[in-house]
Structure formats: structure tokens, C-alpha cells
Amino acid sequence: MKTKRTAQLLAVSVLGLALSGVVGPAMAADGPGDGSGDGIDVSVNIEPTTTPGQLSMTVADNNGVALTENGSDAAARQFTGTLPTVTVTDTRLPEEIPAGEFWAVVGQSSQFTATGDSAKTIGPEYLGWKPRLLSDSSTGAVSAGEPVSSVISDGTGAPTEGLKGQELLVSIANSADEIGTSEVNADLALRTPVDVAAGEYHSTLTLSLFNQS
């Protein structure tokens, strides 16, 4: 980020100037304030302070994601919702980016645990997602991750692994190819066995930004 700084110069009254190596008749000193003094212009050019660019990730303000039942069938009960918008911002200059560097955002879910009854759980492998790039990629270098289904297949052919491990949300193959801001979210789908125990369950979905060469 560039920060502007402004230098303000105060007018200085020059009352006298001594010259060396000049011989001449003595002159009476002019009284102060008679307008006969010589003004000296003092100037300075202060360049803006620059700070190195950086790569960062933010998540839109939210109160969490409440999944609601939608699309249940004979194979599973299904609960869906939408991940808040995730923004990756790269403010670096091309020369600040090492050759071959890339970044990626991954997500991983914890186990769902029922409120007031820790014995009732739903594994993270039952939560899947479908990432969606919201911003335009001017070069096509930024792309959303591939869909991941619950271990109870959603019928799309997506890998049935859920978010028990780190799964890709969005990435760029070469950071220098596109600098700026990228936004992404994801459709979330929790597909549980049809006989899942009733209750209010909570889990944590952790997002991480990696920057590697």
C-alpha cells in the first residue's frame, strides 16, 4: 500500500547574511521588518513510502452457514447451503513474485457433533461441495476446484470423499499470470444416511491459503 506524506514548510525570515571574502564599506544594518531582506526558497520532494505487496485471503462477514433439508431421496437425507464469498487478493508487483510460484485455497471440515449429546456425530466425509468462481479471470489462470460429493454419492460422478481431507476451493497455476482479486464460493451439500439421528449438529469448515513455489 502506498502512503502519501505531505511536507509543509513554514516561512523563515532571514535577518542577516554574512559574506566571506568581500571587502567594502561598512553599511548600516537595516532594521528588522523593513522588507529589504533576501528570501531563500527551500524545497523538498518526498517520494511516497512504498510497502511490499502481499497475498491475502478474506471471508465475507457471516453468521455461519445453516444447512436446510433440500433434495432428500431414498438413498440419503440431503441438507444444502452456500459458503460465504471467499476473496483472494494479490497486491504484489510482478517483480516481487518468485518464478513458478502458485497459490491455492483448500477447505476441510471437522466432524459434526450434536448439541448437548457429543455421542451423536456425523463424519466430515458426508459433507461435499461444488466450488464456483464468482469473479472473471482475465487470463483463465484462476480456476475453481472440482466438486466433491458426500460418501453417499450425489449422482454427479464427483469423487465420493467428502471434506474429511483438504479439498481445493480455488487456485492459480502461476501467481505471476494474474495479479488482483479473485472471488469464489461453493454450494455445500450434507448427504447423510436416511436413518440419521435427529438433532442440531455443528461442524467447523476450515479454509487455508497456501502460497508455494
Side-chain angles (χ1 to χ4, degrees), residues 74-77 126 152 192-198 201:
R77 293 186 68 179
Y126 290 97
I152 302 177
T192 71
V194 292
D195 60 351
V196 63
Y201 293 77

Side-chain angles (χ1 to χ4, degrees), residues 27-51:
M27 302 292 291
D30 294 320
D34 61 5
S36 60
D38 292 327
I40 299 175
D41 177 66
V42 180
S43 65
V44 61
N45 182 21
I46 299 179
E47 296 293 334
T49 299
T50 59
T51 56

Side-chain angles (χ1 to χ4, degrees), residues 16-17 30 32 36 38 60 88 108 124 126 129 145 168 171 179 188 195:
L17 179 65
D30 294 320
S36 60
D38 292 327
V88 178
Q108 183 175 11
Y126 290 97
W129 70 6
L168 184 63
S171 67
I179 300 172
L188 302 175
D195 60 351

